[in-house]
Amino acid sequence: MNAQQLAQYIDHTALSAEKTEADIFALCEEARQHHFYSICINPCHIPLAKQALADSSVKICTVIGFPLGANATVVKAFETAQAIEAGAEEIDMVINIGWVKSQQWEKVQEDIQAVFDICQAVPLKVILETCLLSEAEIIKLCEICKTIGVAFVKTSTGFNKAGATVEHVALMKRTVGEMGVKASGGIRDTQTALNMIEAGASRIGASAGIAILEGLTAAK
């Protein structure tokens, strides 16, 4: 795999609360320069990103119900609609983890379905926060997402006690089959990114995208 191919796996990410408009503009310029697949930002920054990425192939991805997933379903749906109207081209939503741990599977499915219905043609990635889940819960969630027809299941927000693992990515891929798997959280170097791809990830969420690409170049 060359750097250009690897760059197309990467959602170049800036989601921490202190990111300024200057930070977002710099993120967009880095994404344009390195040909990343997308940037992943908080919804308030979408208009700036849309302006900065005009005439660029880099897509704008945003997060919904982030990072806890505990918003009311109607709020997630409204936030999704607003984000798409502002220019978001992909949506990463956080599931309601408390409902999962309470085995409220019908509520979990309705929560995802409500956002999916708003997305329509816009790809939806569903963030599971795998570090908080059992294998059985991960499998059940992947099956729900497959039934609904979302574009991706995603490992993590990157804001909890752990991020993506190769084992969880492989488990998710085995369960969803042809659906996409996004590995996110704690992926900071080339080898880790390549390990995730080998395990079945078709997208990588990382704030260290440039370092990941530079590591590939250095290795060669």
Side-chain angles (χ1 to χ4, degrees), residues 10 15 35 145 159 196 201-202:
I10 294 174
L15 292 169
H35 306 288
C145 289
F159 285 74
M196 297 296 175
S202 41

Side-chain angles (χ1 to χ4, degrees), residues 11-206:
D11 291 345
H12 193 39
T13 302
L15 292 169
S16 57
E18 75 280 6
K19 293 299 181 186
T20 63
E21 290 195 347
D23 293 329
I24 300 304
F25 184 78
L27 185 86
C28 293
E29 290 305 302
E30 289 167 356
R32 186 194 290 270
Q33 178 183 349
H34 294 280
H35 306 288
F36 292 125
Y37 186 85
S38 82
I39 57 162
C40 189
I41 54 174
N42 283 302
C44 64
H45 297 304
I46 294 170
L48 173 62
K50 188 175 180 181
Q51 180 182 355
L53 291 171
D55 304 318
S56 165
S57 63
V58 178
K59 295 189 180 298
I60 299 171
C61 171
T62 198
V63 288
I64 299 297
F66 194 87
L68 301 179
N71 309 55
T73 297
V74 67
V75 174
K76 289 181 179 176
F78 179 78
E79 188 179 22
T80 301
Q82 291 292 302
I84 292 170
E85 185 177 346
E89 297 166 284
E90 293 192 341
I91 298 293
D92 289 19
M93 74 164 285
V94 188
I95 60 157
N96 190 309
I97 300 157
W99 285 347
V100 173
K101 305 308 285 188
S102 302
Q103 305 294 294
Q104 294 290 325
W105 296 113
E106 188 173 337
K107 287 183 177 180
V108 172
Q109 183 157 348
E110 288 171 355
D111 193 52
I112 299 167
Q113 185 73 55
V115 173
F116 179 75
D117 289 346
I118 297 294
C119 284
Q120 297 185 16
V122 174
L124 174 63
K125 309 190 202 87
V126 177
I127 306 173
L128 309 187
E129 203 68 289
T130 49
C131 67
L132 301 180
L133 306 177
S134 67
E135 285 197 5
E137 288 165 343
I138 292 169
I139 291 169
K140 178 71 172 176
L141 282 165
C142 286
E143 289 172 344
I144 288 171
C145 289
K146 191 173 180 179
T147 297
I148 291 170
V150 308
F152 287 78
V153 285
K154 176 178 170 181
T155 59
S156 321
T157 61
F159 285 74
N160 217 295
K161 60 184 180 180
T165 69
V166 165
E167 292 76 18
H168 283 155
V169 168
L171 174 65
M172 292 160 71
K173 187 60 180 175
R174 285 197 302 272
T175 308
V176 300
E178 294 303 309
M179 247 173 64
V181 175
K182 179 175 173 179
S184 185
I187 303 171
R188 300 186 181 93
D189 62 82
T190 310
Q191 192 57 55
T192 302
L194 294 175
N195 290 345
M196 297 296 175
I197 292 167
E198 185 176 355
S202 41
R203 196 77 65 80
I204 300 290

